[in-house]
Amino acid sequence: MEKQKVKQLIKSYQQTYIFAMTHIHQSISEISANTVDLSIEQFFVLREIAAYDGISATELAAALSVNKSAITPKLKRLVEKGYIRREKNHQDKRAVILTISEKGNSVYEECEKRLELLVNEWLEILGEEDSEHFFELFQKITNSVVQSKK
């Protein structure tokens, strides 16, 4: 691909990333201001634990592509807020698994609804056909680029 197109792609990605993260953060902050205190990073951690209830901190760090040391303070805050629990692994007494609490699940579901509404708004702007093309291309990027780097 020619250099100018690569530069345009990088700029477009940066603008889209900043736009998306800002709007996701605002959406979660609206919920946080009313009922919870949850950062976007904590939401992503909570989201992963909700999807893989019983996940270890090591598995969680790998799933989020961060060092375990980066995940530890976020886990601590989520435990303090009562959103997740650390429990002994029954198969390996030395290991700890992370589970989502009822309170955490409630917060997760509210944030997830807001996130889905936000993304649906964006997809409606694209229209059905472009949304489908976008989804297919995004899946292709995830499968061929992201998954190959894990």
Side-chain angles (χ1 to χ4, degrees):
M1 184 178 281
E2 64 184 69
K3 188 174 183 171
Q4 189 58 31
K5 282 189 178 181
V6 170
K7 285 182 176 264
Q8 286 175 318
L9 180 62
I10 292 168
K11 182 175 177 139
S12 180
Y13 172 78
Q14 178 183 336
Q15 289 173 330
T16 304
Y17 175 82
I18 292 169
F19 175 86
M21 293 306 286
T22 299
H23 282 81
I24 290 168
H25 177 74
Q26 286 173 346
S27 188
I28 291 170
S29 293
E30 288 172 12
I31 297 167
S32 294
N34 296 328
T35 57
V36 299
D37 178 22
L38 191 68
S39 72
I40 193 167
E41 293 86 6
Q42 290 169 351
F43 168 67
F44 289 145
V45 169
L46 189 63
R47 192 170 194 269
E48 206 64 28
I49 294 170
Y52 303 101
D53 208 30
I55 193 170
S56 72
T58 303
E59 293 167 328
L60 180 62
L64 295 172
S65 299
V66 297
N67 291 329
K68 190 176 174 192
S69 61
I71 215 85
T72 302
K74 291 171 185 56
L75 293 174
K76 183 179 179 195
R77 286 188 206 95
L78 290 171
V79 168
E80 288 169 354
K81 293 174 185 182
Y83 297 152
I84 65 170
R85 292 182 298 272
R86 293 176 187 257
E87 299 176 355
K88 295 272 186 204
N89 184 334
H90 298 296
Q91 284 82 26
D92 181 355
K93 299 295 181 192
R94 299 167 297 163
V96 173
I97 59 171
L98 305 165
T99 60
I100 192 164
S101 69
E102 189 174 316
K103 179 181 178 183
N105 196 55
S106 177
V107 168
Y108 158 73
E109 286 179 359
E110 180 64 26
C111 290
E112 192 69 11
K113 282 182 204 171
R114 292 279 182 107
L115 184 57
E116 288 175 11
L117 287 171
L118 189 61
V119 172
N120 273 323
E121 285 177 25
W122 299 339
L123 293 176
E124 284 178 18
I125 293 168
L126 287 177
E128 192 170 332
E129 187 176 333
D130 284 345
S131 292
E132 192 59 41
H133 288 309
F134 173 77
F135 178 75
E136 289 171 5
L137 187 55
F138 213 78
Q139 286 299 112
K140 190 173 189 175
I141 291 169
T142 300
N143 294 336
S144 62
V145 178
V146 177
Q147 295 300 336
S148 70
K149 299 295 180 188
K150 283 191 171 187

